[in-house]
Short mmCIF file of all heavy atoms in Angstrom, two decimals:
data_model
loop_
_atom_site.label_atom_id
_atom_site.label_comp_id
_atom_site.label_asym_id
_atom_site.label_seq_id
_atom_site.Cartn_x
_atom_site.Cartn_y
_atom_site.Cartn_z
N MET A 1 3.96 -11.88 -12.35
CA MET A 1 3.47 -11.31 -11.13
C MET A 1 4.35 -10.10 -10.79
O MET A 1 5.56 -10.19 -10.74
CB MET A 1 3.54 -12.36 -10.02
CG MET A 1 2.87 -11.95 -8.78
SD MET A 1 2.87 -13.20 -7.46
CE MET A 1 2.57 -14.72 -8.30
N LYS A 2 3.70 -8.95 -10.55
CA LYS A 2 4.43 -7.72 -10.25
C LYS A 2 4.07 -7.24 -8.85
O LYS A 2 2.92 -7.32 -8.44
CB LYS A 2 4.13 -6.67 -11.29
CG LYS A 2 4.62 -7.10 -12.67
CD LYS A 2 4.40 -6.05 -13.69
CE LYS A 2 4.91 -6.57 -15.03
NZ LYS A 2 4.90 -5.55 -16.04
N PHE A 3 5.08 -6.71 -8.18
CA PHE A 3 4.92 -6.25 -6.82
C PHE A 3 5.27 -4.78 -6.71
O PHE A 3 6.07 -4.26 -7.48
CB PHE A 3 5.82 -7.03 -5.86
CG PHE A 3 5.40 -8.46 -5.67
CD1 PHE A 3 5.78 -9.43 -6.57
CD2 PHE A 3 4.63 -8.82 -4.58
CE1 PHE A 3 5.38 -10.75 -6.40
CE2 PHE A 3 4.23 -10.14 -4.40
CZ PHE A 3 4.61 -11.11 -5.31
N VAL A 4 4.69 -4.12 -5.71
CA VAL A 4 5.04 -2.76 -5.38
C VAL A 4 5.63 -2.80 -3.96
O VAL A 4 5.12 -3.51 -3.09
CB VAL A 4 3.81 -1.82 -5.48
CG1 VAL A 4 2.72 -2.19 -4.53
CG2 VAL A 4 4.21 -0.39 -5.31
N LYS A 5 6.73 -2.07 -3.77
CA LYS A 5 7.38 -2.02 -2.47
C LYS A 5 6.90 -0.77 -1.74
O LYS A 5 7.05 0.34 -2.23
CB LYS A 5 8.90 -1.96 -2.63
CG LYS A 5 9.65 -1.85 -1.32
CD LYS A 5 11.14 -1.72 -1.56
CE LYS A 5 11.88 -1.48 -0.26
NZ LYS A 5 13.31 -1.24 -0.49
N LEU A 6 6.33 -0.98 -0.53
CA LEU A 6 5.84 0.12 0.29
C LEU A 6 6.45 0.00 1.68
O LEU A 6 7.14 -0.97 1.97
CB LEU A 6 4.31 0.08 0.34
CG LEU A 6 3.61 0.16 -1.02
CD1 LEU A 6 2.13 -0.14 -0.88
CD2 LEU A 6 3.84 1.51 -1.66
N SER A 7 6.17 0.98 2.54
CA SER A 7 6.73 1.00 3.89
C SER A 7 5.64 0.77 4.93
O SER A 7 4.65 1.50 4.97
CB SER A 7 7.39 2.35 4.16
OG SER A 7 8.40 2.61 3.21
N ASN A 8 5.84 -0.23 5.77
CA ASN A 8 4.91 -0.53 6.85
C ASN A 8 4.81 0.60 7.86
O ASN A 8 5.69 1.45 7.94
CB ASN A 8 5.41 -1.77 7.61
CG ASN A 8 4.82 -3.05 7.09
OD1 ASN A 8 3.62 -3.18 6.97
ND2 ASN A 8 5.68 -4.01 6.79
N THR A 9 3.75 0.57 8.63
CA THR A 9 3.59 1.49 9.76
C THR A 9 3.36 0.65 11.02
O THR A 9 3.37 -0.57 10.97
CB THR A 9 2.38 2.43 9.56
OG1 THR A 9 1.21 1.63 9.43
CG2 THR A 9 2.56 3.29 8.34
N GLY A 10 3.11 1.31 12.13
CA GLY A 10 2.79 0.61 13.37
C GLY A 10 3.96 -0.21 13.89
O GLY A 10 5.11 0.23 13.87
N LYS A 11 3.66 -1.41 14.33
CA LYS A 11 4.63 -2.31 14.93
C LYS A 11 5.83 -2.57 14.01
O LYS A 11 6.95 -2.73 14.47
CB LYS A 11 3.94 -3.63 15.27
CG LYS A 11 4.82 -4.67 15.89
CD LYS A 11 4.02 -5.92 16.21
CE LYS A 11 4.91 -7.03 16.73
NZ LYS A 11 4.14 -8.25 16.99
N TYR A 12 5.60 -2.59 12.72
CA TYR A 12 6.66 -2.89 11.75
C TYR A 12 7.10 -1.64 10.99
O TYR A 12 7.59 -1.73 9.87
CB TYR A 12 6.19 -3.97 10.78
CG TYR A 12 5.81 -5.24 11.50
CD1 TYR A 12 4.48 -5.58 11.69
CD2 TYR A 12 6.79 -6.08 12.01
CE1 TYR A 12 4.13 -6.73 12.37
CE2 TYR A 12 6.45 -7.23 12.70
CZ TYR A 12 5.12 -7.56 12.87
OH TYR A 12 4.77 -8.70 13.55
N ARG A 13 6.95 -0.46 11.59
CA ARG A 13 7.26 0.81 10.95
C ARG A 13 8.64 0.77 10.29
O ARG A 13 9.61 0.35 10.87
CB ARG A 13 7.25 1.95 11.95
CG ARG A 13 7.60 3.29 11.32
CD ARG A 13 7.37 4.45 12.27
NE ARG A 13 5.97 4.67 12.59
CZ ARG A 13 5.08 5.23 11.77
NH1 ARG A 13 5.43 5.60 10.56
NH2 ARG A 13 3.84 5.41 12.15
N GLY A 14 8.65 1.21 9.04
CA GLY A 14 9.90 1.31 8.29
C GLY A 14 10.29 0.04 7.55
O GLY A 14 11.12 0.08 6.65
N ASP A 15 9.74 -1.10 7.96
CA ASP A 15 10.04 -2.34 7.25
C ASP A 15 9.31 -2.36 5.91
O ASP A 15 8.16 -1.91 5.83
CB ASP A 15 9.60 -3.56 8.06
CG ASP A 15 10.43 -3.79 9.30
OD1 ASP A 15 11.53 -3.22 9.38
OD2 ASP A 15 9.98 -4.55 10.17
N PRO A 16 9.96 -2.86 4.88
CA PRO A 16 9.28 -2.90 3.58
C PRO A 16 8.18 -3.96 3.56
O PRO A 16 8.25 -4.96 4.27
CB PRO A 16 10.40 -3.27 2.61
CG PRO A 16 11.42 -3.96 3.43
CD PRO A 16 11.32 -3.38 4.80
N ILE A 17 7.17 -3.68 2.76
CA ILE A 17 6.12 -4.66 2.49
C ILE A 17 5.96 -4.70 0.98
O ILE A 17 5.91 -3.65 0.32
CB ILE A 17 4.80 -4.30 3.21
CG1 ILE A 17 3.72 -5.35 2.89
CG2 ILE A 17 4.32 -2.91 2.86
CD1 ILE A 17 2.48 -5.21 3.73
N TYR A 18 5.92 -5.89 0.42
CA TYR A 18 5.79 -6.07 -1.03
C TYR A 18 4.40 -6.63 -1.30
O TYR A 18 4.05 -7.70 -0.79
CB TYR A 18 6.86 -7.04 -1.55
CG TYR A 18 8.26 -6.53 -1.35
CD1 TYR A 18 8.94 -6.74 -0.15
CD2 TYR A 18 8.90 -5.81 -2.34
CE1 TYR A 18 10.22 -6.25 0.04
CE2 TYR A 18 10.19 -5.32 -2.16
CZ TYR A 18 10.84 -5.55 -0.96
OH TYR A 18 12.10 -5.07 -0.78
N ILE A 19 3.61 -5.90 -2.08
CA ILE A 19 2.23 -6.29 -2.34
C ILE A 19 2.05 -6.55 -3.83
O ILE A 19 2.44 -5.73 -4.67
CB ILE A 19 1.25 -5.20 -1.88
CG1 ILE A 19 1.45 -4.90 -0.38
CG2 ILE A 19 -0.19 -5.62 -2.16
CD1 ILE A 19 0.67 -3.71 0.13
N ASN A 20 1.46 -7.68 -4.16
CA ASN A 20 1.16 -8.04 -5.54
C ASN A 20 0.15 -7.03 -6.08
O ASN A 20 -0.95 -6.88 -5.53
CB ASN A 20 0.58 -9.46 -5.57
CG ASN A 20 0.25 -9.94 -6.96
OD1 ASN A 20 -0.01 -9.17 -7.86
ND2 ASN A 20 0.24 -11.25 -7.11
N ILE A 21 0.50 -6.32 -7.14
CA ILE A 21 -0.39 -5.27 -7.65
C ILE A 21 -1.71 -5.82 -8.16
O ILE A 21 -2.71 -5.10 -8.19
CB ILE A 21 0.29 -4.38 -8.71
CG1 ILE A 21 0.64 -5.16 -9.97
CG2 ILE A 21 1.50 -3.68 -8.13
CD1 ILE A 21 1.08 -4.29 -11.14
N ASP A 22 -1.76 -7.09 -8.53
CA ASP A 22 -3.01 -7.68 -8.99
C ASP A 22 -3.99 -7.90 -7.85
O ASP A 22 -5.18 -8.15 -8.08
CB ASP A 22 -2.74 -9.00 -9.71
CG ASP A 22 -1.99 -8.82 -11.01
OD1 ASP A 22 -2.13 -7.74 -11.64
OD2 ASP A 22 -1.24 -9.72 -11.41
N TRP A 23 -3.53 -7.84 -6.61
CA TRP A 23 -4.39 -8.05 -5.45
C TRP A 23 -4.94 -6.75 -4.90
O TRP A 23 -5.82 -6.74 -4.05
CB TRP A 23 -3.62 -8.76 -4.34
CG TRP A 23 -3.53 -10.23 -4.52
CD1 TRP A 23 -3.57 -10.92 -5.70
CD2 TRP A 23 -3.37 -11.20 -3.49
NE1 TRP A 23 -3.44 -12.26 -5.46
CE2 TRP A 23 -3.31 -12.45 -4.10
CE3 TRP A 23 -3.25 -11.11 -2.13
CZ2 TRP A 23 -3.16 -13.62 -3.38
CZ3 TRP A 23 -3.09 -12.28 -1.42
CH2 TRP A 23 -3.05 -13.52 -2.03
N ILE A 24 -4.42 -5.62 -5.36
CA ILE A 24 -4.86 -4.33 -4.82
C ILE A 24 -6.19 -3.93 -5.46
O ILE A 24 -6.30 -3.85 -6.68
CB ILE A 24 -3.80 -3.25 -5.06
CG1 ILE A 24 -2.51 -3.61 -4.32
CG2 ILE A 24 -4.31 -1.88 -4.62
CD1 ILE A 24 -1.33 -2.71 -4.64
N THR A 25 -7.20 -3.67 -4.62
CA THR A 25 -8.50 -3.27 -5.14
C THR A 25 -8.80 -1.80 -4.88
O THR A 25 -9.61 -1.21 -5.58
CB THR A 25 -9.64 -4.13 -4.55
OG1 THR A 25 -9.59 -4.04 -3.13
CG2 THR A 25 -9.50 -5.59 -4.98
N SER A 26 -8.15 -1.21 -3.86
CA SER A 26 -8.34 0.22 -3.62
C SER A 26 -7.19 0.78 -2.79
O SER A 26 -6.52 0.07 -2.06
CB SER A 26 -9.68 0.49 -2.91
OG SER A 26 -9.69 -0.12 -1.64
N VAL A 27 -7.00 2.09 -2.97
CA VAL A 27 -6.01 2.85 -2.20
C VAL A 27 -6.71 4.13 -1.78
O VAL A 27 -7.30 4.81 -2.61
CB VAL A 27 -4.77 3.19 -3.06
CG1 VAL A 27 -3.80 4.05 -2.28
CG2 VAL A 27 -4.09 1.93 -3.58
N PHE A 28 -6.66 4.43 -0.49
CA PHE A 28 -7.33 5.65 -0.03
C PHE A 28 -6.67 6.15 1.24
O PHE A 28 -5.93 5.42 1.90
CB PHE A 28 -8.82 5.41 0.18
CG PHE A 28 -9.14 4.29 1.15
CD1 PHE A 28 -9.35 4.57 2.50
CD2 PHE A 28 -9.23 2.98 0.72
CE1 PHE A 28 -9.66 3.56 3.39
CE2 PHE A 28 -9.53 1.96 1.61
CZ PHE A 28 -9.75 2.24 2.95
N GLU A 29 -6.95 7.40 1.55
CA GLU A 29 -6.47 7.99 2.79
C GLU A 29 -7.65 8.16 3.72
O GLU A 29 -8.74 8.54 3.30
CB GLU A 29 -5.79 9.33 2.52
CG GLU A 29 -4.48 9.16 1.77
CD GLU A 29 -3.81 10.47 1.43
OE1 GLU A 29 -4.48 11.52 1.39
OE2 GLU A 29 -2.59 10.43 1.18
N GLU A 30 -7.43 7.86 5.00
CA GLU A 30 -8.47 8.05 6.00
C GLU A 30 -7.87 8.80 7.17
O GLU A 30 -6.68 8.67 7.46
CB GLU A 30 -9.09 6.72 6.43
CG GLU A 30 -8.15 5.80 7.17
CD GLU A 30 -8.81 4.48 7.56
OE1 GLU A 30 -9.97 4.23 7.17
OE2 GLU A 30 -8.17 3.70 8.27
N SER A 31 -8.69 9.59 7.83
CA SER A 31 -8.18 10.36 8.97
C SER A 31 -8.10 9.46 10.19
O SER A 31 -8.94 8.59 10.40
CB SER A 31 -9.06 11.57 9.24
OG SER A 31 -10.35 11.15 9.59
N SER A 32 -7.08 9.70 10.95
CA SER A 32 -6.85 8.96 12.19
C SER A 32 -7.31 9.84 13.34
O SER A 32 -6.67 10.86 13.63
CB SER A 32 -5.37 8.61 12.33
OG SER A 32 -5.11 8.14 13.62
N GLU A 33 -8.39 9.47 14.00
CA GLU A 33 -8.90 10.26 15.12
C GLU A 33 -7.88 10.30 16.25
O GLU A 33 -7.74 11.30 16.94
CB GLU A 33 -10.23 9.70 15.60
CG GLU A 33 -11.34 9.87 14.60
CD GLU A 33 -12.65 9.27 15.07
OE1 GLU A 33 -12.80 9.07 16.30
OE2 GLU A 33 -13.50 8.99 14.23
N GLN A 34 -7.17 9.20 16.41
CA GLN A 34 -6.19 9.09 17.49
C GLN A 34 -5.04 10.08 17.30
O GLN A 34 -4.59 10.69 18.26
CB GLN A 34 -5.66 7.67 17.58
CG GLN A 34 -4.66 7.46 18.69
CD GLN A 34 -4.18 6.02 18.76
OE1 GLN A 34 -4.51 5.21 17.90
NE2 GLN A 34 -3.40 5.71 19.76
N TYR A 35 -4.56 10.22 16.06
CA TYR A 35 -3.39 11.05 15.81
C TYR A 35 -3.71 12.35 15.07
O TYR A 35 -2.85 13.20 14.91
CB TYR A 35 -2.34 10.26 15.03
CG TYR A 35 -1.89 9.02 15.75
CD1 TYR A 35 -2.26 7.76 15.29
CD2 TYR A 35 -1.13 9.10 16.90
CE1 TYR A 35 -1.86 6.62 15.97
CE2 TYR A 35 -0.73 7.97 17.59
CZ TYR A 35 -1.10 6.72 17.11
OH TYR A 35 -0.72 5.60 17.77
N GLY A 36 -4.93 12.49 14.58
CA GLY A 36 -5.32 13.70 13.88
C GLY A 36 -4.62 13.89 12.56
O GLY A 36 -4.40 15.01 12.12
N SER A 37 -4.23 12.81 11.91
CA SER A 37 -3.54 12.89 10.63
C SER A 37 -4.14 11.88 9.67
O SER A 37 -5.03 11.11 10.03
CB SER A 37 -2.04 12.63 10.81
OG SER A 37 -1.85 11.33 11.33
N LEU A 38 -3.65 11.89 8.44
CA LEU A 38 -4.13 10.95 7.43
C LEU A 38 -3.26 9.70 7.41
O LEU A 38 -2.04 9.77 7.57
CB LEU A 38 -4.11 11.58 6.05
CG LEU A 38 -5.10 12.70 5.80
CD1 LEU A 38 -4.90 13.28 4.40
CD2 LEU A 38 -6.52 12.21 5.96
N SER A 39 -3.89 8.57 7.19
CA SER A 39 -3.19 7.30 7.00
C SER A 39 -3.56 6.78 5.61
O SER A 39 -4.71 6.93 5.18
CB SER A 39 -3.63 6.26 8.03
OG SER A 39 -3.26 6.66 9.32
N THR A 40 -2.60 6.20 4.93
CA THR A 40 -2.87 5.62 3.62
C THR A 40 -3.16 4.14 3.78
O THR A 40 -2.38 3.40 4.38
CB THR A 40 -1.68 5.82 2.66
OG1 THR A 40 -1.40 7.21 2.56
CG2 THR A 40 -1.99 5.26 1.28
N VAL A 41 -4.29 3.73 3.24
CA VAL A 41 -4.74 2.35 3.32
C VAL A 41 -4.68 1.74 1.93
O VAL A 41 -5.20 2.31 0.96
CB VAL A 41 -6.18 2.25 3.85
CG1 VAL A 41 -6.66 0.80 3.90
CG2 VAL A 41 -6.30 2.92 5.21
N VAL A 42 -4.03 0.58 1.83
CA VAL A 42 -4.04 -0.22 0.60
C VAL A 42 -4.89 -1.43 0.93
O VAL A 42 -4.63 -2.14 1.90
CB VAL A 42 -2.61 -0.64 0.18
CG1 VAL A 42 -2.64 -1.47 -1.07
CG2 VAL A 42 -1.72 0.58 0.00
N PHE A 43 -5.94 -1.65 0.15
CA PHE A 43 -6.88 -2.73 0.44
C PHE A 43 -6.89 -3.73 -0.70
O PHE A 43 -6.82 -3.36 -1.86
CB PHE A 43 -8.29 -2.15 0.64
CG PHE A 43 -9.30 -3.19 1.03
CD1 PHE A 43 -9.41 -3.59 2.35
CD2 PHE A 43 -10.12 -3.76 0.09
CE1 PHE A 43 -10.34 -4.56 2.72
CE2 PHE A 43 -11.05 -4.73 0.44
CZ PHE A 43 -11.15 -5.13 1.76
N GLY A 44 -6.99 -5.00 -0.37
CA GLY A 44 -7.08 -6.03 -1.40
C GLY A 44 -6.84 -7.40 -0.81
O GLY A 44 -6.94 -7.60 0.39
N GLY A 45 -6.52 -8.32 -1.68
CA GLY A 45 -6.26 -9.69 -1.25
C GLY A 45 -7.46 -10.58 -1.47
O GLY A 45 -8.52 -10.14 -1.91
N PRO A 46 -7.30 -11.86 -1.15
CA PRO A 46 -8.37 -12.83 -1.36
C PRO A 46 -9.45 -12.74 -0.28
O PRO A 46 -9.24 -12.12 0.77
CB PRO A 46 -7.63 -14.17 -1.28
CG PRO A 46 -6.50 -13.89 -0.34
CD PRO A 46 -6.09 -12.47 -0.63
N GLY A 47 -10.58 -13.34 -0.55
CA GLY A 47 -11.66 -13.38 0.44
C GLY A 47 -12.18 -12.01 0.78
O GLY A 47 -12.46 -11.20 -0.07
N ASN A 48 -12.26 -11.73 2.08
CA ASN A 48 -12.77 -10.44 2.54
C ASN A 48 -11.72 -9.35 2.45
O ASN A 48 -12.00 -8.20 2.77
CB ASN A 48 -13.28 -10.55 3.98
CG ASN A 48 -14.53 -11.38 4.09
OD1 ASN A 48 -15.30 -11.45 3.14
ND2 ASN A 48 -14.72 -12.02 5.21
N GLY A 49 -10.52 -9.69 2.05
CA GLY A 49 -9.49 -8.70 1.84
C GLY A 49 -8.68 -8.39 3.09
O GLY A 49 -8.99 -8.82 4.19
N THR A 50 -7.65 -7.62 2.86
CA THR A 50 -6.72 -7.21 3.90
C THR A 50 -6.46 -5.72 3.77
O THR A 50 -6.43 -5.20 2.66
CB THR A 50 -5.38 -7.98 3.75
OG1 THR A 50 -5.64 -9.38 3.84
CG2 THR A 50 -4.38 -7.58 4.79
N ARG A 51 -6.24 -5.06 4.89
CA ARG A 51 -5.89 -3.63 4.91
C ARG A 51 -4.43 -3.53 5.28
O ARG A 51 -4.00 -4.06 6.30
CB ARG A 51 -6.70 -2.89 5.96
CG ARG A 51 -8.16 -2.77 5.66
CD ARG A 51 -8.93 -2.24 6.87
NE ARG A 51 -8.39 -1.00 7.40
CZ ARG A 51 -8.89 0.21 7.16
NH1 ARG A 51 -9.95 0.33 6.40
NH2 ARG A 51 -8.36 1.28 7.68
N TRP A 52 -3.67 -2.85 4.45
CA TRP A 52 -2.28 -2.55 4.76
C TRP A 52 -2.20 -1.04 4.97
O TRP A 52 -2.61 -0.27 4.11
CB TRP A 52 -1.35 -2.96 3.63
CG TRP A 52 -1.33 -4.42 3.34
CD1 TRP A 52 -0.66 -5.40 4.03
CD2 TRP A 52 -1.98 -5.09 2.25
NE1 TRP A 52 -0.87 -6.62 3.45
CE2 TRP A 52 -1.68 -6.47 2.35
CE3 TRP A 52 -2.80 -4.67 1.21
CZ2 TRP A 52 -2.14 -7.41 1.45
CZ3 TRP A 52 -3.27 -5.61 0.31
CH2 TRP A 52 -2.94 -6.96 0.43
N ILE A 53 -1.67 -0.60 6.09
CA ILE A 53 -1.48 0.82 6.36
C ILE A 53 -0.02 1.12 6.06
O ILE A 53 0.88 0.50 6.63
CB ILE A 53 -1.79 1.18 7.83
CG1 ILE A 53 -3.14 0.61 8.26
CG2 ILE A 53 -1.72 2.69 8.04
CD1 ILE A 53 -4.33 1.13 7.50
N VAL A 54 0.22 2.05 5.15
CA VAL A 54 1.58 2.33 4.69
C VAL A 54 1.94 3.80 4.90
O VAL A 54 1.07 4.64 5.07
CB VAL A 54 1.76 1.93 3.20
CG1 VAL A 54 1.52 0.44 3.01
CG2 VAL A 54 0.84 2.74 2.30
N GLU A 55 3.24 4.08 4.87
CA GLU A 55 3.73 5.44 5.09
C GLU A 55 3.53 6.35 3.88
O GLU A 55 3.36 7.56 4.03
CB GLU A 55 5.21 5.41 5.45
CG GLU A 55 5.49 4.79 6.80
CD GLU A 55 6.96 4.79 7.16
OE1 GLU A 55 7.77 5.40 6.44
OE2 GLU A 55 7.30 4.17 8.17
N GLU A 56 3.56 5.81 2.68
CA GLU A 56 3.44 6.61 1.46
C GLU A 56 2.04 7.21 1.34
O GLU A 56 1.07 6.66 1.84
CB GLU A 56 3.73 5.74 0.22
CG GLU A 56 5.15 5.26 0.10
CD GLU A 56 5.49 4.04 0.94
OE1 GLU A 56 4.61 3.50 1.63
OE2 GLU A 56 6.66 3.64 0.93
N SER A 57 1.96 8.33 0.64
CA SER A 57 0.66 8.94 0.37
C SER A 57 -0.09 8.10 -0.66
O SER A 57 0.51 7.28 -1.37
CB SER A 57 0.84 10.36 -0.18
OG SER A 57 1.41 10.31 -1.48
N ALA A 58 -1.39 8.29 -0.75
CA ALA A 58 -2.18 7.56 -1.75
C ALA A 58 -1.67 7.85 -3.16
O ALA A 58 -1.57 6.95 -3.99
CB ALA A 58 -3.66 7.92 -1.62
N LYS A 59 -1.33 9.11 -3.41
CA LYS A 59 -0.81 9.50 -4.73
C LYS A 59 0.48 8.75 -5.05
O LYS A 59 0.66 8.26 -6.17
CB LYS A 59 -0.58 11.01 -4.76
CG LYS A 59 -0.15 11.55 -6.08
CD LYS A 59 -0.04 13.07 -6.03
CE LYS A 59 0.39 13.62 -7.38
NZ LYS A 59 0.44 15.08 -7.38
N GLU A 60 1.37 8.64 -4.07
CA GLU A 60 2.63 7.92 -4.27
C GLU A 60 2.40 6.43 -4.50
O GLU A 60 3.03 5.80 -5.34
CB GLU A 60 3.55 8.13 -3.07
CG GLU A 60 4.88 7.42 -3.17
CD GLU A 60 5.83 7.98 -4.21
OE1 GLU A 60 5.54 9.05 -4.79
OE2 GLU A 60 6.86 7.35 -4.46
N VAL A 61 1.45 5.84 -3.77
CA VAL A 61 1.14 4.42 -3.94
C VAL A 61 0.62 4.18 -5.36
O VAL A 61 1.06 3.24 -6.04
CB VAL A 61 0.12 3.93 -2.90
CG1 VAL A 61 -0.35 2.51 -3.21
CG2 VAL A 61 0.71 4.00 -1.49
N VAL A 62 -0.29 5.02 -5.82
CA VAL A 62 -0.85 4.86 -7.17
C VAL A 62 0.25 5.00 -8.22
O VAL A 62 0.31 4.23 -9.18
CB VAL A 62 -2.00 5.86 -7.41
CG1 VAL A 62 -2.42 5.89 -8.87
CG2 VAL A 62 -3.18 5.53 -6.52
N ARG A 63 1.16 5.94 -8.03
CA ARG A 63 2.28 6.13 -8.96
C ARG A 63 3.14 4.86 -9.01
O ARG A 63 3.49 4.39 -10.09
CB ARG A 63 3.15 7.32 -8.54
CG ARG A 63 4.26 7.64 -9.55
CD ARG A 63 5.20 8.73 -9.06
NE ARG A 63 5.93 8.35 -7.87
CZ ARG A 63 6.97 7.50 -7.84
NH1 ARG A 63 7.39 6.94 -8.95
NH2 ARG A 63 7.58 7.23 -6.71
N LYS A 64 3.42 4.27 -7.87
CA LYS A 64 4.24 3.05 -7.83
C LYS A 64 3.51 1.88 -8.49
O LYS A 64 4.12 1.06 -9.17
CB LYS A 64 4.62 2.71 -6.39
CG LYS A 64 5.64 3.66 -5.81
CD LYS A 64 6.05 3.23 -4.41
CE LYS A 64 7.15 4.12 -3.89
NZ LYS A 64 8.00 3.44 -2.93
N ILE A 65 2.20 1.79 -8.28
CA ILE A 65 1.42 0.72 -8.93
C ILE A 65 1.48 0.89 -10.44
O ILE A 65 1.69 -0.08 -11.18
CB ILE A 65 -0.05 0.73 -8.43
CG1 ILE A 65 -0.11 0.34 -6.96
CG2 ILE A 65 -0.92 -0.19 -9.29
CD1 ILE A 65 -1.46 0.60 -6.32
N GLU A 66 1.28 2.11 -10.92
CA GLU A 66 1.33 2.38 -12.37
C GLU A 66 2.71 2.04 -12.94
O GLU A 66 2.81 1.45 -14.03
CB GLU A 66 0.96 3.83 -12.66
CG GLU A 66 -0.51 4.11 -12.42
CD GLU A 66 -0.87 5.59 -12.51
OE1 GLU A 66 0.04 6.45 -12.49
OE2 GLU A 66 -2.07 5.88 -12.59
N GLU A 67 3.78 2.41 -12.24
CA GLU A 67 5.12 2.10 -12.71
C GLU A 67 5.33 0.59 -12.79
O GLU A 67 5.87 0.08 -13.77
CB GLU A 67 6.18 2.70 -11.77
CG GLU A 67 6.34 4.18 -11.93
CD GLU A 67 7.33 4.79 -10.94
OE1 GLU A 67 7.89 4.02 -10.09
OE2 GLU A 67 7.55 6.00 -11.00
N ALA A 68 4.89 -0.14 -11.77
CA ALA A 68 5.04 -1.60 -11.78
C ALA A 68 4.23 -2.22 -12.90
O ALA A 68 4.69 -3.14 -13.58
CB ALA A 68 4.62 -2.17 -10.42
N ALA A 69 3.02 -1.72 -13.12
CA ALA A 69 2.15 -2.26 -14.18
C ALA A 69 2.74 -2.03 -15.56
O ALA A 69 2.59 -2.85 -16.45
CB ALA A 69 0.77 -1.65 -14.08
N ASN A 70 3.44 -0.90 -15.72
CA ASN A 70 4.00 -0.57 -17.02
C ASN A 70 5.41 -1.08 -17.24
O ASN A 70 5.96 -0.94 -18.34
CB ASN A 70 3.99 0.96 -17.22
CG ASN A 70 2.57 1.49 -17.33
OD1 ASN A 70 1.69 0.84 -17.89
ND2 ASN A 70 2.35 2.65 -16.78
N ASP A 71 6.01 -1.68 -16.21
CA ASP A 71 7.37 -2.24 -16.32
C ASP A 71 7.33 -3.45 -17.25
O ASP A 71 6.56 -4.38 -17.02
CB ASP A 71 7.87 -2.64 -14.93
CG ASP A 71 9.30 -3.14 -14.96
OD1 ASP A 71 9.99 -2.99 -16.00
OD2 ASP A 71 9.74 -3.68 -13.93
N ARG A 72 8.12 -3.43 -18.25
CA ARG A 72 8.10 -4.50 -19.26
C ARG A 72 9.06 -5.65 -18.95
O ARG A 72 9.20 -6.56 -19.74
CB ARG A 72 8.43 -3.93 -20.63
CG ARG A 72 7.40 -2.91 -21.07
CD ARG A 72 7.68 -2.43 -22.47
NE ARG A 72 6.83 -1.32 -22.81
CZ ARG A 72 5.71 -1.45 -23.50
NH1 ARG A 72 5.31 -2.62 -23.91
NH2 ARG A 72 4.99 -0.39 -23.78
N SER A 73 9.72 -5.62 -17.79
CA SER A 73 10.65 -6.71 -17.47
C SER A 73 9.95 -7.90 -16.88
O SER A 73 8.83 -7.92 -16.55
CB SER A 73 11.73 -6.22 -16.52
OG SER A 73 11.18 -5.71 -15.33
#
């Protein structure tokens, strides 16, 4: 089981969140009407899924997922 370490936003801003890369089904950026900026959403998990909003860009999240997937340890 491999995990990617990302940074929470909102109430838990700055706290790390570790997500099992096998549970991630999509990564995308969406605009925030409230703040007028982009938020990165990591979506996945069992059932109907879970949305994690993280500080990293979508490109950075994908890079971390690829690194974790290719880690041979």
Side-chain angles (χ1 to χ4, degrees):
M1 189 178 320
K2 296 183 180 188
F3 290 84
V4 62
K5 178 183 175 185
L6 302 170
S7 302
N8 267 308
T9 60
K11 180 179 175 182
Y12 301 104
R13 179 171 294 284
D15 290 344
I17 180 170
Y18 297 86
I19 303 172
N20 181 334
I21 65 170
D22 293 331
W23 279 27
I24 298 172
T25 56
S26 63
V27 176
F28 57 94
E29 291 178 339
E30 66 181 6
S31 62
S32 168
E33 292 178 21
Q34 181 179 6
Y35 301 109
S37 61
L38 291 177
S39 296
T40 303
V41 178
V42 179
F43 184 82
N48 291 332
T50 300
R51 291 170 53 100
W52 297 281
I53 310 298
V54 299
E55 292 181 8
E56 293 81 2
S57 68
K59 184 176 180 177
E60 179 70 8
V61 172
V62 170
R63 185 186 64 75
K64 288 184 175 208
I65 293 168
E66 289 172 346
E67 284 177 359
N70 293 325
D71 183 11
R72 298 184 188 262
S73 58

